[in-house]
């Protein structure tokens, strides 16, 4: 399968703590995206990291990409209750997109 | 407001009864796609379309049909639904080749009895 694997499946932290989630694929990664999904609603694009980038920041988000390990991580710093959601990585390949299995994040106020 | 809309949002049907889920976008996007989301499996791509009259299979196309007669619309058709097609369905769109950000609709929750 070309789908990605994400871990952990679920993560529960206190407000103010950092949250890290990981994504890996069995096939090579060129570009990688992260999306957020609030409780069964549509996904929202967060950030794209390209194959020539090792790390990228956007506000409280930090994404890393290791093409040799075919993996990426998403770090959310100083988490807030509003960050409670599911997070998915996605690998664009040609005209298709292969999503990861998702990490469900709960931030406790 | 720029958006992707889907109808219906919720649907309960019986095995074998043909149904159509509509998808429409008002952003003049060339690319549109359908996904299904199942617990523990993430999103899997069913079909996508690069432009009008151009459609291609994704990862899980069996049991589904699509058409792209107009740029803004991309309906998903289940000719003979089965219980294993019970799922949450999302439509998405983006601009053409070279753009990666997809914009998702609100989802259609389908239950096939």
């Amino acid at each position: 399968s070309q789908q990605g694997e994400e871990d952990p499946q679920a993560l529960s932290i206190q407000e103010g703590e950092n949250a890290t989630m990981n994504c890996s694929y069995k096939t090579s990664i060129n570009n990688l995206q992260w999306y957020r999904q609030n409780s069964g609603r549509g996904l929202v694009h967060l950030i794209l990291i390209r194959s020539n980038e090792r790390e990228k920041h956007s506000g409280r988000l930090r994404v890393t990409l290791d093409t040799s390990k075919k993996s990426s991580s998403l770090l959310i710093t100083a988490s807030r209750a509003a960050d409670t959601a599911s997070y998915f990585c996605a690998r664009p390949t040609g005209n298709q997109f292969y999503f990861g299995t998702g990490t469900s994040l709960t931030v406790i106020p | 407001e720029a958006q992707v809309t889907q109808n219906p949002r919720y649907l309960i049907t019986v095995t074998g009864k043909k149904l159509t889920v509509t998808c429409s976008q008002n952003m003049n996007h060339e690319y549109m796609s359908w996904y299904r989301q199942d617990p523990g499996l993430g999103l899997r791509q069913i079909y996508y379309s690069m432009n009008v009259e151009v459609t291609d299979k994704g990862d899980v196309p069996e049991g589904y049909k699509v058409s792209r007669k107009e740029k803004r619309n991309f309906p998903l058709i289940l000719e003979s639904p089965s219980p294993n097609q019970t799922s949450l369905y999302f439509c998405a769109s983006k601009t053409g080749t070279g753009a990666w950000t997809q914009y998702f609709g609100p989802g259609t929750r389908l239950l096939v009895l």
Side-chain angles (χ1 to χ4, degrees), chain A residues 1-4 24-28 91 93 96 98-99, chain B residues 59:
Chain A
S1 169
Q2 297 200 51
Q3 272 203 286
S24 63
Y25 285 86
K26 293 179 180 172
T27 51
S28 62
R91 179 175 67 90
T93 300
Q96 293 189 244
Y98 295 96
F99 281 79
Chain B
D59 237 16

Side-chain angles (χ1 to χ4, degrees), chain A residues 5-65:
Chain A
E5 292 287 332
E6 292 189 53
D7 76 271
Q9 284 188 337
L11 180 59
S12 184
I13 60 174
Q14 296 287 330
E15 203 165 31
E17 293 180 338
N18 295 342
T20 300
M21 49 206 86
N22 306 292
C23 164
S24 63
Y25 285 86
K26 293 179 180 172
T27 51
S28 62
I29 299 174
N30 288 323
N31 303 309
L32 193 104
Q33 300 174 298
W34 286 90
Y35 286 81
R36 183 186 72 225
Q37 182 184 37
N38 288 91
S39 191
R41 302 177 73 172
L43 279 71
V44 174
H45 182 257
L46 294 175
I47 193 167
L48 164 72
I49 185 165
R50 299 184 186 276
S51 57
N52 60 352
E53 299 173 307
R54 291 300 180 101
E55 188 171 309
K56 193 167 183 178
H57 295 252
S58 177
R60 294 183 296 111
L61 304 180
R62 185 191 119 194
V63 171
T64 62
L65 179 62

Side-chain angles (χ1 to χ4, degrees), chain B residues 80-113:
Chain B
S80 183
S82 62
N84 65 12
Q85 292 179 297
T86 291
S87 188
L88 179 57
Y89 291 87
F90 288 102
C91 180
S93 71
K94 71 175 182 74
T95 55
T97 305
W100 302 115
T101 301
Q102 292 187 87
Y103 297 85
F104 281 79
T108 295
R109 195 168 290 277
L110 172 65
L111 173 61
V112 183
L113 300 172

